[in-house]
Amino acid sequence: MRNKKILNMVLCALFAALIAIGAFIKIPVPYVPFTLQLEFTMLAGLLLGPELGALSVALYVVMGLLGVPVFAEGGGFAYVFKPSFGYLIGFIIGTYVTGYIANKVKKPSFKRVLVASLAGLLIVYLVGMIYFYIIKNFYLAAPIGVWSVILYCFILVVPGDLLLCIIGSYIGKRLIPIIGKETRK
């Protein structure tokens, strides 16, 4: 029992660190940079399950809010007022949903894992885009239309994220039986 707790803590910390690294592997796109954070948040849900996966993402977000510069554009509590902060909230929820769907069965099929990844991606985008729109229009008083949000916050970056979902699903399908067995003893 004690070894399982230690393993779970190490895995949560590892994924929080991987998400931080993923934040710095980025391709600049207007408004919201394309990063590898999604890949690691998705893998956290797939491999650690819904609770531990979401916990690892929440740990990453808390570290950033406490001032550790782990976000794509820095850190600190003021990051809450950045339009892209909604994606971080979406990562937590999306990771939970991805882990929940994928881990409902012991050995999920590739199709189940891919559907789980896409469901998580949909949540990340939905929460991120809504937050982006609200912060830009009502807090920053820098009006942006719905179609511009869809263009810059979805259409320009979704192809890369879809590819990340496929890659992550393949990795997840292969590793869920191995890591899942260890974290759920």
Side-chain angles (χ1 to χ4, degrees), residues 9 15 22 30 37 40 56-57 62 67 69 75 92 98 104 108-109 114 143 146 160 174:
M9 287 188 332
F15 273 96
Q37 290 169 297
F40 295 119
S56 67
V57 180
V62 168
I92 297 169
T98 298
K104 272 192 116 148
S109 66
L114 182 59
V146 171
R174 307 274 304 190

Side-chain angles (χ1 to χ4, degrees), residues 7-185:
L7 176 64
N8 288 344
M9 287 188 332
V10 168
L11 288 172
C12 281
L14 172 67
F15 273 96
L18 288 171
I19 296 164
I21 292 166
F24 294 104
I25 302 171
K26 60 185 169 185
I27 298 170
V29 178
Y31 295 111
V32 180
F34 174 80
T35 70
L36 290 183
Q37 290 169 297
L38 174 74
E39 186 74 7
F40 295 119
T41 60
M42 176 181 38
L43 284 171
L46 293 173
L47 300 178
L48 304 182
E51 293 87 9
L52 288 177
L55 180 64
S56 67
V57 180
L59 173 63
Y60 162 74
V61 172
V62 168
M63 285 187 330
L65 290 176
L66 290 175
V68 181
V70 294
F71 297 147
E73 299 172 341
F77 185 75
Y79 210 85
V80 170
F81 302 109
K82 284 194 165 284
S84 60
F85 184 74
Y87 290 92
L88 297 172
I89 297 167
F91 285 149
I92 297 169
I93 301 165
T95 299
Y96 184 88
V97 170
T98 298
Y100 180 79
I101 294 170
N103 290 283
K104 272 192 116 148
V105 296
K106 261 189 172 175
K107 288 190 174 186
S109 66
F110 177 77
K111 181 180 176 183
R112 175 179 277 281
V113 174
L114 182 59
V115 166
S117 299
L118 293 173
L121 176 66
L122 181 65
I123 289 168
V124 169
Y125 275 105
L126 189 61
V127 173
M129 289 168 50
I130 291 169
Y131 194 92
F132 188 93
Y133 180 83
I134 290 170
I135 292 295
K136 284 291 270 183
N137 284 296
F138 301 108
Y139 175 72
L140 295 176
I144 187 168
V146 171
W147 292 114
S148 293
V149 170
I150 291 170
L151 173 65
Y152 292 116
C153 301
F154 180 74
I155 294 173
L156 289 179
V157 290
V158 79
D161 284 340
L162 289 173
L163 179 62
L164 292 179
C165 283
I166 293 167
I167 293 167
S169 296
Y170 176 77
I171 293 168
K173 165 74 174 104
R174 307 274 304 190
L175 293 179
I176 286 171
I178 299 166
I179 294 180
K181 181 176 75 175
E182 293 299 320
T183 59
R184 293 169 190 82
K185 282 183 181 176

